[in-house]
Amino acid sequence: MARMGDVLAGFHAAWEFESDSVLIRFERGIRTPKLFQALGERRIPLDAIAAVTLTPGKRGTVVLRAEPRPGADPLMEAASGQLKDVCDPYRLVLPAERETLAEYYADELRAMLASKDTGPAERYLVEPPETPLQFKAYDGKASFDGKSVHFRWFWTGASSAKWKAGDQSFAVSDLCGVEWRSPEVFEGHLRLLRRDTGVSQPAQADQDPAAVIFGLGYGPVHESLPFAAAVLAAVRGAGPGPSKSEGAAPRRDPADIADRIRHLGELHEAGLVTDEEFSVKKAELLAEL
């Protein structure tokens, strides 16, 4: 039998077997995928695992993989099948000469899973990434403090639609989900899905004030995916409720407000904002002082 505390070390990670979970510790080496470095370590309860496989890998390796139950891990739910194999935190790649040892642990895990439910989980069983979290997208900075998501637009990247809407703040209780599209594919983005069905969200993320878009070097997987997972877990744990209970919005830095009014004036002069939009938005900004 596998003993509690047994460790199976592979490339970039090591699995420590415990009575009710597998503790995965990721290396911080220069060749380790950045997502693994960002995750650090993860405890995967046996209740969160549906199956265990051992398959041949590339170039003289074998791959031990724990298949997470659908709905058990917010990180994998947010990823929605878009992670490359090399960034899959449930894969442990080992030298082929350790195949017999890997098979032993695979069998042990399968025996421990035999009495467990392997169907879809009703709640998240794997802890989400810790907050606060933030990252730079192409058109703005996204931050999450555990209760609200904030988008602050960049002058250089944000569309005029987003500038007109202004910086955004979304209480977790007003959201029903998160849509993450990998920055490694065309038109990657992170979009917040709102509970209020009366609010129609633009199809294009660059026009949606509830979304930030990715670009070369902006919104990388190791920053934007843990962010999406943390928001998703908070949303699932919050349920619907009024957002007003968060209290009044904090006062903004006067210098920041002045910068935004100046940029609004530039948009107005360029004909991208109408006289009425300029007046309304300027009044909104001044009210934040």
Side-chain angles (χ1 to χ4, degrees), residues 14-18 21-25 41-44:
W15 289 13
E16 182 175 333
F17 298 91
E18 302 184 346
S21 61
V22 177
L23 179 62
I24 302 176
R25 290 194 175 95
E41 69 175 45
R42 310 188 81 214
R43 186 179 300 280
I44 311 299

Side-chain angles (χ1 to χ4, degrees), residues 140-206:
K141 180 180 178 181
S143 57
F144 179 49
D145 59 11
K147 294 182 178 179
S148 299
V149 180
H150 306 278
F151 292 158
R152 178 177 174 179
W153 308 122
F154 294 152
W155 294 8
T156 50
S159 63
S160 57
K162 290 183 177 180
W163 271 108
K164 289 177 184 179
D167 291 352
Q168 299 289 300
S169 182
F170 303 88
V172 161
S173 54
D174 289 340
L175 304 175
C176 65
V178 178
E179 178 183 87
W180 182 77
R181 292 291 174 266
S182 174
E184 295 177 346
V185 298
F186 186 60
E187 295 184 344
H189 65 260
L190 182 144
R191 188 196 303 263
L192 303 175
L193 306 177
R194 293 181 258 192
R195 290 188 185 278
D196 183 4
T197 52
V199 177
S200 61
Q201 296 188 229
Q204 291 180 288
D206 67 333

Side-chain angles (χ1 to χ4, degrees), residues 17-241:
F17 298 91
E18 302 184 346
S19 59
D20 61 351
S21 61
V22 177
L23 179 62
I24 302 176
R25 290 194 175 95
F26 298 103
E27 291 180 356
R28 297 192 178 277
I30 193 168
R31 295 188 178 185
T32 302
K34 288 184 177 180
L35 177 61
F36 293 176
Q37 296 184 50
L39 294 175
E41 69 175 45
R42 310 188 81 214
R43 186 179 300 280
I44 311 299
L46 298 182
D47 287 340
I49 300 174
V52 179
T53 61
L54 183 64
T55 55
K58 297 178 180 176
R59 294 186 293 277
T61 62
V62 291
V63 179
L64 179 64
R65 186 175 193 271
E67 179 73 36
R69 290 171 61 188
D73 183 350
L75 188 84
M76 301 306 280
E77 292 299 299
S80 190
Q82 299 173 79
L83 280 180
K84 294 179 178 178
D85 281 351
V86 70
C87 289
D88 182 349
Y90 284 84
R91 293 172 87 248
L92 182 66
V93 182
L94 303 130
E97 56 264 28
R98 291 195 191 170
E99 182 174 5
T100 302
L101 188 60
E103 185 65 65
Y104 166 73
Y105 283 110
D107 286 341
E108 290 292 307
L109 281 173
R110 290 181 189 121
M112 296 169 81
L113 296 177
S115 61
K116 297 184 179 296
D117 183 0
T118 57
E122 294 181 1
R123 61 185 178 86
Y124 290 135
L125 301 171
V126 181
E127 287 294 315
E130 292 183 4
T131 56
L133 291 165
Q134 62 183 34
F135 70 90
K136 286 184 178 180
Y138 176 72
D139 55 357
K141 180 180 178 181
S143 57
F144 179 49
D145 59 11
K147 294 182 178 179
S148 299
V149 180
H150 306 278
F151 292 158
R152 178 177 174 179
W153 308 122
F154 294 152
W155 294 8
T156 50
S159 63
S160 57
K162 290 183 177 180
W163 271 108
K164 289 177 184 179
D167 291 352
Q168 299 289 300
S169 182
F170 303 88
V172 161
S173 54
D174 289 340
L175 304 175
C176 65
V178 178
E179 178 183 87
W180 182 77
R181 292 291 174 266
S182 174
E184 295 177 346
V185 298
F186 186 60
E187 295 184 344
H189 65 260
L190 182 144
R191 188 196 303 263
L192 303 175
L193 306 177
R194 293 181 258 192
R195 290 188 185 278
D196 183 4
T197 52
V199 177
S200 61
Q201 296 188 229
Q204 291 180 288
D206 67 333
Q207 300 297 312
D208 187 354
V212 289
I213 59 174
F214 304 146
L216 190 62
Y218 293 94
V221 172
H222 71 280
E223 294 180 356
S224 62
L225 180 57
F227 186 104
V231 175
L232 198 57
V235 167
R236 193 160 178 179

